[in-house]
Amino acid sequence: MTTTFGAYGGRYVPETLIPALDELTAGWNAAKNDESFHRELHELLTTYAGRPTPLTPAPRFAPGKRLYLKREDLNHTGAHKLNNALGQAVLARRLGKHRIVAETGAGQHGVATATVCAKFGLECVVYMGAEDMRRQKPNVERMHLLGAEVRAVEFGTKTLKEATSEAIRDWITNVDTTHYLIGSCVGPAPYPELVRDLQRVIGDEAREQFLAAEGRLPEVVVACVGGGSNAIGAFYAFVDDTDVRLVGVEAAGAASLGTGRPGVLHGARSSILADEDGQIADAHSISAGLDYPGVGPEHAALRDAGRAEYLPCTDDQALAAFHRLAETEGIIPALESSHALARALDLDEELVLVCLSGRGDKDLAEVLAHS
Ligand SMILES: *Cc1c(COP(=O)(O)O)cnc(C)c1O
């Protein structure tokens, strides 16, 4: 069993998927060392996604601190997810795959995947729980407009957990033609590492931008954690800077790192929300993007090593930070990112970098329902 991050990671999948995971690993290793791959991806990130994203000071949001926002909300489609979807689409084409499957909960990853499939002319099937389709109707309509087929998953809780199982089943059946485009740093190896490498552009850019703005590194980097991809992307450039504190913020009702236990979910061993028998527990968060009972294995390893800390944030704390950023800085953040904003305010450090993972337009109905 390939275990990539200390005691975590690995490949807990049916034997039939191992050749595809090996092919993906080899394809990624070749792409990583190929100048033309980096040129193509860089060109897309620049001319299509809108990178580099700015680093914005937020003095009215955080008086008494020097707090900066890494503006992933300004990416095309409104969040960091496009960084990963673009990279995996370029990789899928190199591997000769013309069909993409994905799973989505809130629909944000489904929209990013449908976007890149439209751009590259790839066939796109997105699995989504029927309950999530009802709650996230505008994103279902966006995916349809972008030419994707959205398949409703009607069993279990009819949410992300079941949609992921269905996407894996599809991949097993169609593995010769199909790339499974996973949306966060989760799943069997090499996905956690692959997604991290595609999201590390966040921290690589922010590290340079912070140095240019302040002449030194931040004292702390803060990011919200669902599956953990924007957080690992923001953290990675700072992991060796041992005096930079790394703080991940989980939804209090979906704290896979804060209150979870070691276990296997969706192909990897990590820290998960489960009962003593390993039965997966239901997660809860006001923000659909954090509402997942698992987390990327690299975060579990960073936690155990004491290199990163993971703090909880309640729905109410996130909502307060959402309104505060809108009113003090003129930026409406995603509810996911609002979790990071909320906890960043109470930290003792003065020099703070927060990953603003996405914009809040998608969350207006949810926020209005709570006010
Ligand atoms: C999906 C999403 C998240 C959670 O995913 P991670 O993999 O933990 O980054 C966070 N913020 C936004 C805006 C999202 O769309």
Side-chain angles (χ1 to χ4, degrees), residues 78-81 108 183-185 224-231 289-290 334 336-337 357-359 362:
H80 66 291
K81 290 205 167 70
Q108 294 300 107
S184 191
C185 51
C224 67
V225 176
S229 68
N230 87 91
L290 302 186
E336 290 85 359
S337 325
S357 55
R359 65 176 182 231
K362 67 184 178 61

Side-chain angles (χ1 to χ4, degrees), residues 36 120 125 170 193 197 293 295 315 320 354 356:
S36 74
F120 295 125
V125 175
D170 180 312
E193 195 181 326
D197 287 347
V295 68
D315 290 354
V354 179
L356 192 69

